Amino acid sequence: MRIDVVSLFPEFIAQCAGFGVVGRAQERALLSLHGWNPRDYAEGGYRRVDDRPFGGGPGMVMMIEPLQACLAATRAADPVVGPVIYLTPQGTPLTQAKVRQLAALPRLILLCGRYEGVDERLVAAEVDEEISIGDYVLSGGELGAAVVIDAVARLQEGALNDAESAIQDSFESDGLLDCPHYTHPASHALGEVPAVLRSGDHAAIARWRRQQALGRTWLRRPDLLDEASLSKADRALLEAFRRDSLPPSGEGGA
Ligand code: 6GU
């Protein structure tokens, strides 16, 4: 797929996307990334891209004209059509379901704001979708764009190796948090590896991992548990986990 990023710091995105799975996806031509700087489309000697907000107040707002010209050049660079996605804390929170949708498209155009944001008329006229990566404030949309690029790149066919795919598949299929992982040494000053993982009993290991995933999700992200469809066996595992995690109750408590 092709991803165009409109940003005052296109090199930042290129750097972010150069490593690991995303870098490999680019090397394998599963992903082509293109940076576009609105400053290159700004008029005048100062190449101005922002101005003071109408109504007063602090901060600056990104102007319509440079962004519009930059977006026009971006679109014109390839006949393949894709949505313009504005990265902003006012957007819809990104989820894995949304990532799957975006990953199936042939092209994305990611628009990164800086300062207080982008003139709302540009958003109304040019933006198809607004996405946020969480309930906190970043100083620009670039990190949001990097997050979208990473999440979408790893879902391109052939981007992950077999082991990475298996991990991805298990998260995708059940929507639970992952179980804990351990490696050598089995015995260390920081603690022992749980005996079940060294037992060689594959059914018991699978059961333990499933129970840990259910238990952690219950402890840390009960909202995910509401969404997950649990089997009867899952419910029994979670019930046992809950019982073990409760403080022992006194004799004949009221
Ligand atoms: Cl995508 N951009 C900015 N500037 N802040 C954010 C965000 C995006 N997502 C959460 N906070």
Side-chain angles (χ1 to χ4, degrees):
M1 86 185 297
R2 174 180 175 124
I3 302 182
D4 297 275
V5 185
V6 173
S7 162
L8 291 171
F9 305 105
E11 327 74 54
F12 176 90
I13 304 286
Q15 280 281 337
C16 266
F19 304 96
V21 173
V22 184
R24 211 167 60 203
Q26 289 194 82
E27 280 161 25
R28 293 179 181 170
L30 306 172
L31 170 69
S32 67
L33 262 185
H34 307 266
W36 301 84
N37 193 336
R39 205 173 292 283
D40 297 337
Y41 299 85
E43 300 287 325
Y46 293 104
R47 305 232 150 233
R48 180 161 201 189
V49 293
D50 62 324
D51 206 339
R52 288 165 300 169
F54 274 110
M60 301 292 270
V61 177
M62 290 181 74
M63 297 161 69
I64 294 175
E65 295 287 346
L67 284 176
Q68 204 169 33
C70 186
L71 279 168
T74 303
R75 283 204 188 84
D78 195 308
V80 176
V81 175
V84 174
I85 299 173
Y86 176 35
L87 284 308
T88 164
Q90 278 72 53
T92 306
L94 185 64
T95 61
Q96 189 64 22
K98 171 54 73 175
V99 168
R100 278 193 292 270
Q101 278 180 22
L102 298 179
L105 300 176
R107 187 178 189 189
L108 302 177
I109 301 175
L110 304 180
L111 172 60
C112 304
R114 280 264 149 185
Y115 316 113
E116 294 314 296
V118 169
D119 190 303
E120 193 63 26
R121 293 167 294 179
L122 184 283
V123 177
E126 304 271 9
V127 169
D128 297 298
E129 212 170 318
E130 299 180 52
I131 289 180
S132 160
I133 60 162
D135 291 338
Y136 39 78
V137 177
L138 303 169
S139 38
E142 283 76 10
L143 283 168
V147 165
V148 169
I149 291 165
D150 187 297
V152 150
R154 54 188 286 104
L155 294 190
Q156 300 305 301
E157 185 77 50
L160 299 180
N161 61 37
D162 288 346
E164 291 162 345
S165 290
I167 293 164
Q168 176 76 33
D169 291 348
S170 77
F171 180 82
E172 291 251 329
S173 62
D174 59 26
L176 300 176
L177 300 186
D178 200 4
C179 64
H181 301 279
Y182 299 87
T183 188
H184 296 278
S187 186
H188 186 275
L190 294 184
E192 304 291 314
V193 170
V196 60
L197 296 180
R198 302 168 58 197
S199 68
D201 180 343
H202 296 293
I205 291 168
R207 210 157 44 239
W208 181 86
R209 286 182 168 157
R210 184 71 185 173
Q211 184 174 44
Q212 290 292 314
L214 288 160
R216 280 181 149 192
T217 307
W218 170 63
L219 287 170
R220 301 178 185 189
R221 292 292 306 277
D223 57 308
L224 292 181
L225 217 46
D226 297 340
E227 300 293 310
S229 47
L230 303 187
S231 68
K232 214 165 153 218
D234 285 337
R235 289 179 199 287
L237 284 172
L238 181 54
E239 198 42 56
F241 183 97
R242 281 183 170 128
R243 240 182 287 117
D244 291 347
S245 71
L246 289 175
S249 61
E251 288 285 302

